[in-house]
């Protein structure tokens, strides 16, 4: 499936909902033991908190953002700070990670262990797309923070005094509810979408938003803005 936009030609996104996806969560046996492992490095705490704010992260993203080595990830898994799950795409398996019971305990997160077993594919992909954007942002803006936010937004990023709510369009949306929340949102919004067709129904409430398509989620990205009803590169 090929689409043209400007001077870029995009093949189907690796995060496209049209791939054959299966989420295979790890279900921890209960009662769950959290253990007593401490935080060991400053970046460990920062990374775990960010994962907790958004929900889950991919194995490549975890390295790009937090520079964790394999042995560090294995240790965090053994210490119940992380839980590894499988995301199957066509015939490939992608490891993804959520907070483990020890991290939930350390951060006093109000989230039941095993709550991830009820996630749908759209939810999982939206979280991964958010972190893919953060990987690209990291190449341009070294100092930024990731914060939680209420649905329908996936998360928010803070760069100095600037705060941006991030909306990921993936799969079927509740159009009326999404439009209502966008009208109520007083903060600047960044929209991440697979293609322009998914964005067009909300153009009337995205006049001040910044947009990136999946094909733009690289360190050299340039935002699109609405100009006279058309999305153009800034």
């Amino acid at each position: 499936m090929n689409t043209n936009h400007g001077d870029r030609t995009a093949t189907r996104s690796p995060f496209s909902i049209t791939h054959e996806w299966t989420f295979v969560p790890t279900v921890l046996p209960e009662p769950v033991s959290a253990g007593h492992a401490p935080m060991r490095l400053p970046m460990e705490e920062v990374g775990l908190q960010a994962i907790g704010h958004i929900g889950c992260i991919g194995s490549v993203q975890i390295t790009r953002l937090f520079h964790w080595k394999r042995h560090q990830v294995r240790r965090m898994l053994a210490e119940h700070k992380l839980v590894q799950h499988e995301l199957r795409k066509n015939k490939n398996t992608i490891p993804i990670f959520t907070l483990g019971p020890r991290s939930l305990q350390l951060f006093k997160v109000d989230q039941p262990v095993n709550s991830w077993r009820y996630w749908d594919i759209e939810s999982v992909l939206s979280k991964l797309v958010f972190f893919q954007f953060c990987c690209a942002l990291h190449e341009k803006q070294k100092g930024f923070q990731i914060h939680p936010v209420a649905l329908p937004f996936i998360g928010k990023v803070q760069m100095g005094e600037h705060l941006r709510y991030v909306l990921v369009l993936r799969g079927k949306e509740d159009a009326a509810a999404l439009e209502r929340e966008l009208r109520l949102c007083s903060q600047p919004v960044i929209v991440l979408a697979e293609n322009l067709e998914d964005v067009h129904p909300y153009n009337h409430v995205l006049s001040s938003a910044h947009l990136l398509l999946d094909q733009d989620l690289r360190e050299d990205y340039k935002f699109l803005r609405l100009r006279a009803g058309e999305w153009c590169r800034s």
Side-chain angles (χ1 to χ4, degrees):
M1 181 180 72
N2 294 325
T3 59
N4 292 318
H5 181 72
D7 58 351
R8 301 191 183 199
T9 300
T11 57
R12 184 163 55 156
S13 163
F15 300 101
S16 175
I17 195 68
T18 61
H19 291 292
E20 185 179 335
W21 295 102
T22 305
F23 176 47
V24 185
T26 296
V27 180
L28 301 177
E30 300 194 38
V32 176
S33 173
H36 305 282
M39 288 295 168
R40 302 182 185 277
L41 297 169
M43 187 51 68
E44 181 174 302
E45 182 172 354
V46 168
L48 289 171
Q49 281 189 322
I51 296 168
H53 291 334
I54 305 308
C56 68
I57 189 170
S59 56
V60 175
Q61 297 166 340
I62 215 171
T63 300
R64 288 182 63 188
L65 272 181
F66 309 127
H67 308 293
W68 293 346
K69 307 298 184 184
R70 287 186 180 181
H71 72 276
Q72 293 173 313
V73 173
R74 286 196 296 267
R75 175 175 53 74
M76 283 185 263
L77 289 168
E79 293 177 344
H80 308 297
K81 294 174 185 172
L82 289 172
V83 177
Q84 183 172 327
H85 313 271
E86 288 186 1
L87 182 62
R88 295 174 183 166
K89 173 186 172 184
N90 303 326
K91 296 182 179 180
N92 300 316
T93 297
I94 303 167
I96 65 172
F97 301 89
T98 61
L99 289 191
R102 179 55 177 159
S103 295
L104 294 174
Q105 181 187 72
L106 284 168
F107 299 135
K108 298 179 173 58
V109 178
D110 184 19
Q111 172 187 320
V113 172
N114 290 325
S115 60
W116 46 73
R117 69 190 299 179
Y118 304 109
W119 290 352
D120 56 28
I121 288 297
E122 289 84 356
S123 176
V124 173
L125 290 179
S126 293
K127 300 174 196 306
L128 297 183
V129 169
F130 175 90
F131 273 120
Q132 193 70 10
F133 165 64
C134 289
C135 288
L137 179 62
H138 181 62
E139 299 298 324
K140 283 192 171 186
Q141 180 82 35
K142 298 297 183 183
F144 69 94
Q145 296 174 308
I146 296 170
H147 299 288
V149 70
L151 292 173
F153 302 99
I154 298 299
K156 55 188 177 184
V157 293
Q158 183 171 357
M159 298 156 283
E161 298 179 354
H162 302 288
L163 195 64
R164 299 288 186 269
Y165 280 48
V166 180
L167 173 69
V168 181
L169 297 177
R170 199 68 23 163
K172 295 181 178 179
E173 311 288 342
D174 183 336
L178 178 54
E179 181 177 333
R180 181 177 63 251
E181 292 301 322
L182 286 170
R183 289 185 183 280
L184 292 173
C185 183
S186 60
Q187 297 292 335
V189 174
I190 294 172
V191 181
L192 308 176
E194 183 180 349
N195 52 59
L196 288 174
E197 288 72 21
D198 294 339
V199 185
H200 285 324
Y202 309 104
N203 279 3
H204 60 292
V205 286
L206 294 175
S207 58
S208 60
H210 290 69
L211 169 67
L212 288 175
L213 303 181
D214 283 11
Q215 69 193 62
D216 301 318
L217 296 181
R218 300 172 296 192
E219 61 273 12
D220 62 342
Y221 67 84
K222 290 185 179 180
F223 284 112
L224 292 106
R225 298 289 304 275
L226 268 177
R227 302 279 189 261
E230 297 291 332
W231 288 99
C232 306
R233 299 282 169 196
S234 299

